Amino acid sequence: MIDERTLEKEALAEIGRRGIAETLSYVGSNSRYYQRVFKELHARPEDFSDLDAFRQFPLTTKQDVSGSIRDFWCVEEQRVVDISTTSGTTGHPTLYPMTYGDIERLGVNEYLSFRCAGLTEHDTVILAVTMDRCFMAGLAYYEGLTRIGATTIRVGSGPYGMLLDFLERVRPTAIVSVPSYLRKIGLYAQENGLDLASSPVNRLICIGEPIREPNFSLNPLGQQIEQLWGARVYSTYGITELAISFCECDAAGGGHLHPELIYAEIVDEKGHPVPEGEIGELVGTTIGVQAMPIVRFATGDCSFIQRERCACGRWTPRLGPIVGRKRHLMKIKGTSVYPAAVQRVLDSLPQVREYVMVVRSVAALSDELTVMVALQGEANTGADLVRQHLQAALKVTPVVKVVSMEEIERLQDIQHLRKKRVFIDER
Ligand SMILES: [Zn+2]
């Protein structure tokens, strides 16, 4: 295994080039899907091994994958040892097969990620995440932590009596979990007179929900769990189709990527690379995957990559916080706005009780956003205040309408949906 801490910029680029060439050659020989793509392009895998040429290779979308899933499988079924599923929020989740080699690769990825977050063989780590239900990440974390030599305790994500019990019995130093779950336990402990801050837990590895703003400062959720637990939070973000995760180091300036396992790009709406540091869609190409490698997979998640040297000393690129989903991006009077940016403003205003955003298309490439708010106190001054704050943060002003709490609840439709709806896309 390469020691990423000693890699220089030139060596990184070379690892990326070699990895891309290997993956292209492998899918050219083994994937019916990519064989079709090469045939349609009248090209061979080696025609794309140069980086400029590679950037012209067509993106692979989620629809491409779910539409012809078996054509992506590159090994005989008898070599598949695990089937996970992607975390699809709609429809049937896509099957994701792995060979034993793929599970080892997942383990290497998490070994590198957790070491980046400072974990060692001296740590005792509670895995408070789903370990079954075809969830790839739970398995990956376990593989990574045992590779490090840390002691793992798989309490899972159910009721937290067992977790609190283990806090007493084995004195864990870290927990891997979903931030909102950590907040729930923290609030429960606070109400019941348990002082979590005095527990030996000093690291909380947070998955599945953002804990940072795009400028890397902690968001309210991140701040709250750091305060409740008296421990540092680290963000990790993973994508099933790429069998990869990006995890923060102590410098907290984005999740480090592992160049021998993934080649990552940030692209604009046309699939072209954006200038360094700019926001666009994350696109990834797996390196070293045997069962279901994927080339230029468009994740639908928008973020940015920083390639200058990290304060921790590593040169490996870092992925910033996810700023939104590509399909939710709005164009308001020529300005790109993600719903999350509007939410950040509304969440920060104590005058706002609840809200719902409604976006409509008013012309080609032009959207109109209406923010419906239920307010505490005086409606007229409240609406102006909301408008001013939105204008300052977004550089454009959406339509702000003050409505009753009943109207908001009707729009949020909590009865029929599992969580309240705050963004209604009518485009
Ligand atoms: Zn770093």
Side-chain angles (χ1 to χ4, degrees):
M1 198 187 311
I2 303 162
D3 187 350
E4 291 182 347
R5 290 168 299 186
T6 61
L7 276 182
E8 296 286 333
K9 215 172 183 177
E10 296 70 31
L12 275 171
E14 183 47 35
I15 291 169
R17 267 195 295 274
R18 216 170 43 223
I20 288 169
E22 276 168 19
T23 297
L24 287 168
S25 158
Y26 183 82
V27 299
S29 305
N30 299 291
S31 157
R32 287 194 297 276
Y33 177 82
Y34 287 110
Q35 284 167 351
R36 264 202 317 272
V37 173
F38 288 124
K39 203 170 165 194
E40 279 161 19
L41 295 168
H42 304 289
R44 298 160 304 165
E46 53 270 35
D47 296 336
F48 297 96
S49 49
D50 171 75
L51 272 189
D52 285 332
F54 181 68
R55 292 184 183 122
Q56 306 299 318
F57 192 84
L59 298 179
T60 302
T61 64
K62 290 189 181 195
Q63 288 73 25
D64 293 332
V65 176
S66 59
S68 45
I69 180 72
R70 288 285 170 158
D71 290 348
F72 282 86
W73 292 30
C74 287
V75 296
E76 298 288 317
E77 282 192 32
Q78 64 263 30
R79 283 189 61 200
V80 172
V81 299
D82 181 271
I83 292 183
S84 296
T85 53
T86 60
S87 55
T89 45
T90 52
H92 234 165
T94 305
L95 303 182
Y96 188 88
M98 284 189 284
T99 64
Y100 191 68
D102 290 333
I103 290 184
E104 287 187 314
R105 176 182 165 282
L106 271 189
V108 168
N109 172 62
E110 292 303 340
Y111 167 89
L112 294 167
S113 286
F114 287 136
R115 273 217 322 197
C116 211
L119 297 182
T120 70
E121 69 273 24
H122 300 297
D123 281 292
T124 296
V125 186
I126 288 185
L127 276 172
V129 295
T130 305
M131 295 297 295
D132 51 9
R133 285 189 271 162
C134 296
F135 182 50
M136 180 194 279
L139 171 68
Y141 300 143
Y142 178 74
E143 288 287 322
L145 289 168
T146 48
R147 257 183 178 70
I148 285 178
T151 307
T152 62
I153 302 167
R154 292 171 290 114
V155 306
S157 60
Y160 33 80
M162 191 187 233
L163 190 152
L164 292 172
D165 186 36
F166 269 105
L167 280 184
E168 297 284 326
R169 293 175 67 188
V170 295
R171 304 192 61 74
T173 51
I175 302 177
V176 181
S177 192
V178 176
S180 54
Y181 184 74
L182 290 169
R183 175 172 61 186
K184 248 197 264 175
I185 301 172
L187 292 171
Y188 171 86
Q190 199 175 45
E191 280 163 21
N192 290 277
L194 299 168
D195 182 19
L196 292 181
S198 67
S199 82
V201 173
N202 53 35
R203 285 183 165 82
L204 300 166
I205 316 285
C206 296
I207 69 163
E209 294 161 349
I211 51 164
R212 292 193 191 280
E213 307 287 3
N215 68 0
F216 297 110
S217 65
L218 286 176
N219 66 16
L221 178 61
Q223 286 170 20
Q224 196 182 11
I225 53 179
E226 277 209 343
Q227 186 245 325
L228 286 166
W229 285 85
R232 268 201 72 164
V233 293
Y234 295 78
S235 178
T236 183
Y237 157 81
I239 311 145
T240 307
E241 289 91 338
L242 296 172
I244 203 75
S245 70
F246 306 85
C247 186
E248 286 178 353
C249 63
D250 273 327
H256 279 277
L257 72 80
H258 310 301
E260 66 273 42
L261 304 177
I262 183 88
Y263 183 79
E265 305 166 75
I266 300 288
V267 304
D268 64 17
E269 281 154 43
K270 294 195 177 89
H272 300 142
V274 300
E276 190 175 329
E278 282 191 17
I279 291 173
E281 183 178 14
L282 173 67
V283 164
T285 300
T286 58
I287 298 174
V289 167
Q290 295 171 341
M292 203 178 126
I294 195 160
V295 180
R296 299 200 85 213
F297 176 67
T299 62
D301 287 342
C302 294
S303 183
F304 55 95
I305 289 181
Q306 296 195 311
R307 296 183 191 274
E308 79 272 22
R309 192 176 200 171
C310 180
C312 73
R314 289 175 179 84
W315 275 100
T316 51
R318 287 158 290 136
L319 182 73
I322 301 300
V323 299
R325 304 281 304 163
K326 188 189 167 194
R327 63 194 161 88
H328 290 165
L329 179 65
M330 301 173 280
K331 279 273 182 203
I332 303 169
K333 297 189 181 96
T335 302
S336 299
V337 178
Y338 288 95
V342 182
Q343 269 182 282
R344 269 200 299 280
V345 176
L346 298 171
D347 288 339
S348 73
L349 297 173
Q351 295 84 350
V352 174
R353 279 177 74 190
E354 285 288 344
Y355 57 85
V356 171
M357 297 173 271
V358 183
V359 63
R360 293 188 189 90
S361 181
V362 286
L365 298 174
S366 178
D367 303 319
E368 182 187 79
L369 174 66
T370 304
V371 180
M372 320 275 235
V373 286
L375 298 171
Q376 324 258 27
E378 182 54 47
N380 286 334
T381 51
D384 282 341
L385 183 100
V386 172
R387 253 179 236 115
Q388 282 162 18
H389 278 85
L390 287 171
Q391 162 69 25
L394 310 174
K395 313 292 176 239
V396 287
T397 320
V399 179
V400 176
K401 273 192 190 159
V402 178
V403 296
S404 66
M405 203 50 208
E406 292 71 40
E407 176 66 6
I408 293 281
E409 279 168 3
R410 191 186 64 74
L411 290 164
Q412 288 180 337
D413 199 15
I414 303 174
Q415 261 106 32
H416 296 98
L417 303 167
R418 272 185 304 172
K419 56 180 190 179
K420 67 183 181 190
R421 174 170 69 161
V422 294
F423 183 67
I424 301 173
D425 201 333
E426 295 185 347
R427 291 174 292 182

